Amino acid sequence: MILGWVLFIPLSYVLTFTLNLGSVGAWISLYKYLTAFGISVMICFYRTDWNTIKLKMVESDI
């Protein structure tokens, strides 16, 4: 959510209105936002130590 407010909204405003790119600027900012979001999720995924994660057993699974 923070990434959206910090990157997507200001970048889409700048590209759409300041640089007069119109809807193309909004699409470019969306692609930049999705790339940054994907990289942040990938970093979080690869930093997780998967050997320490344990399954949570529910009574219905027993």
Side-chain angles (χ1 to χ4, degrees):
M1 188 167 123
I2 294 170
L3 190 61
W5 281 97
V6 171
L7 180 70
F8 179 62
I9 293 174
L11 186 62
S12 63
Y13 180 81
V14 168
L15 291 177
T16 304
F17 298 113
T18 306
L19 298 177
N20 294 325
L21 291 177
S23 62
V24 174
W27 281 103
I28 291 171
S29 65
L30 176 66
Y31 294 141
K32 297 289 185 184
Y33 166 72
L34 289 175
T35 302
F37 182 73
I39 289 170
S40 66
V41 169
M42 182 183 68
I43 289 170
C44 183
F45 179 79
Y46 282 115
R47 283 189 175 183
T48 302
D49 185 14
W50 295 100
N51 293 325
T52 60
I53 296 177
K54 296 179 182 175
L55 289 175
K56 192 178 205 181
M57 296 297 288
V58 182
E59 288 184 31
S60 62
D61 291 341
I62 299 175

